[in-house]
Amino acid sequence: MARRDARRDSGRALQRRGPTRDPLPYILVVCEGKVTEPQYINGFKIAHGVTTVRLDIHSSSGNPLGLVERAIELRDESVRDARRADDENLAYDQAWCVVDVDEHPRLDEARALAARSRIELAVSNPCFELWLLLHFADQTGHLSCSAAVTALRRHLSGYDKHLRFGDLANGYEDAVRRARALDKNQEKHGAAGGNPSTGVHGLMECIRQNGQSARLER
């Protein structure tokens, strides 16, 4: 019971019911990027010692709508596997998509489908590199993806879509603070999700908080 209470308090409570053994939170992440996002998320998990959360990271090309559709497929498949095996631990507790606004024309459709299908979105406007940049500096003005990459290279020399989380680790807390400040500023001006903004901190804090809760209960 203590475990369920802790997750509910985190604001993103997982909903596993009636475990047959002591389960680990199981989170599906579908990323638009094939390299950068998985490297960051896996590095984060290792650096923060989040050994009590199972992550299943998939990369899928295409637009945000395609990513949400892929997440639904994988989530529903895990539910079927769990039923066949009579083991609910095979089913994901949460499903996330990490997507960029960039030039994608079908983002509104993706948002609507995700909301109907209980898929969480971590949207960066304009791109994931904004989240990385916030580890080093404030970014309050509108910027393009190419400008975000250029600005990031001032802090990560030679950045080319590959990274080591260790190069950003010291700036993580600052990145969360800056991302939340951007959210408040955009909402204040009636432009939630506008450029610049990123929801990646929601996914990372979900992983960290569920890991902490699970660790306390074990």
Side-chain angles (χ1 to χ4, degrees), residues 141-208:
H142 185 285
L143 78 172
S144 65
C145 283
S146 61
V149 171
T150 298
L152 181 60
R153 284 175 176 161
R154 298 190 187 106
H155 305 279
L156 287 179
S157 178
Y159 170 75
D160 64 347
K161 300 291 184 181
H162 292 261
L163 58 80
R164 296 180 304 172
F165 182 80
D167 293 333
L168 299 99
N170 290 338
Y172 176 76
E173 301 295 344
D174 286 335
V176 172
R177 175 181 56 78
R178 288 167 175 145
R180 287 173 173 165
L182 286 178
D183 288 343
K184 290 182 179 178
N185 187 58
Q186 297 287 9
E187 291 170 2
K188 178 181 177 182
H189 292 89
N195 185 328
S197 65
T198 175
V200 176
H201 63 92
L203 168 61
M204 307 317 299
E205 288 298 279
C206 172
I207 293 171
R208 184 164 73 163

Side-chain angles (χ1 to χ4, degrees), residues 2-14 209 213:
R3 178 178 188 164
R4 292 180 180 174
D5 289 345
R7 290 180 185 163
R8 185 161 52 245
D9 291 344
S10 76
R12 294 185 182 278
L14 304 183
Q209 290 174 12
S213 297

Side-chain angles (χ1 to χ4, degrees), residues 34-63:
K34 296 182 179 180
V35 178
T36 311
E37 290 91 332
Q39 284 182 335
Y40 181 90
I41 296 168
N42 282 319
F44 173 89
K45 179 179 175 180
I46 294 170
H48 285 265
V50 186
T51 59
T52 49
V53 173
R54 290 183 294 161
L55 295 179
D56 190 12
I57 303 174
H58 291 251
S59 295
S60 181
S61 60
N63 58 49

